[in-house]
Amino acid sequence: MKAYNRRGWLRTAATAGIGAVISSALTTCTRGADGKVKTILVVSGWQDVNIGDIAHTPGLLNVLQVFLPDAKIILWKKSHSEAVKVLLETNFPDVKIIYGHVSKEGDVNSQEVIEAMDAADILIHGSGPSVVGKDNLRAWLNHTDKPFGIFGDTIAHIDPDLKSILDMAKFIFTRETRSLKVIEENRIAAKRVMFGPDATFYFNLTNGERAQRFLHDAGLEGHEFICVIPRLRYTPYYKIRPNNGGWSEEKIADVEAHNDKWKEVDHSKLREVMIAWVRDSGGKVLVCPEMTYQVDIMDELLIDPLPEDVKPNVLKRGYWLPDEAASIYSRAKAVFSFECHSPIIALHAGTPSFYLRQPEDTIKGQMYYDLGMDDWVFEMDGTDAWQLVSEARKVWNDYPAAKAAVASVMDRVNKLYGQCIKAIKQELYQ
């Protein structure tokens, strides 16, 4: 972890523009020399039990529509959820959504997918914890020699099969810089490799009506409450996926034992932030989930152990979609999360956010350091409760500086996305 330098960071943020101006050169018509509109096939949508994973897809669609406004976009979605499908169709009516299974050898069972690959000028693999759509990329390589690339992925491990695919990529944008080292160590021959933040940073969907109704019913006033998100060290997928997620009884027992060892250690620190906020401000706390299973651990880990004078100021929210979450986060004073993506959704909404990183949660947390957020990411194994409370108080006691810091982060994201799109355009128009 880098040394703290909050004053310098906030001073830089205060002089930065509140929003980045997107160069008109990056938003010119997406047409070839023959005047034909370019078509982009996006592979994304890995699972729908996590608002962060859901947000990857609309985030990337927004990036493409902002920077390549005249492009035609087809979404090849991996996961199936009617609620998420409605969310995407409502907010991206011009994006065609298709589905189709792919074998490990890259064989496609859908004529609609084959037609989309024929129509597309380029394929882009969306943000994720790994190259989740590796088989989709293999299918593209089997079917066409047109370009493809990866936008905002973590790539922690590369086996020979994945290397053979990555070597063919025209661009690889990793969502943190540690993946760049993995790519370098594996001597990947992709044409362009660079840091390109997780597409969730451009998640722009909202549901103000639903959010306002909840806030009214819960008695929550704008910027007079904070949001907190729990998380176990290992996600218990055996409780979420069919057939126990394919986990053995031994693996389930090991994961439960590890989670039991750390759950109170971790969440006791977040409870101290909740206590400090309520006693300092008289404000309220909303405990909310990023993943479905977290609804079941809220009481045990974040509510029941609280002092009696604090409990009346604490409320909870069931599982939701990311558009409502974004609308709630935009009205919060700050967001404190053990999960990685709720802080990102909140940052886009303009809200100061803390990522409480557990070491089991992969290398993706490096992205916070890469964007200069050293003071708002905490490595939980090396963090005491008083450190977390101290930095939290700095935010709510000097809110204008904190808001300026958020603007600075998003300005950096905008500039990086501009660089990524420039590389994509070079492939579309070469």
Side-chain angles (χ1 to χ4, degrees), residues 98-116:
I98 62 174
Y99 299 88
H101 177 71
V102 181
S103 72
K104 291 186 180 300
E105 294 75 30
D107 298 323
V108 180
N109 69 352
S110 166
Q111 183 62 32
E112 189 174 39
V113 170
I114 292 173
E115 291 173 357

Side-chain angles (χ1 to χ4, degrees), residues 40 60 107 138 149 169 197 232 238 264 266 299 334 389 419 426:
I40 301 171
L60 179 53
D107 298 323
R138 176 65 68 192
L232 298 175
Y238 62 94
E264 172 59 19
D266 290 342
D299 290 304
V389 171
Q419 294 171 16
Q426 289 173 354

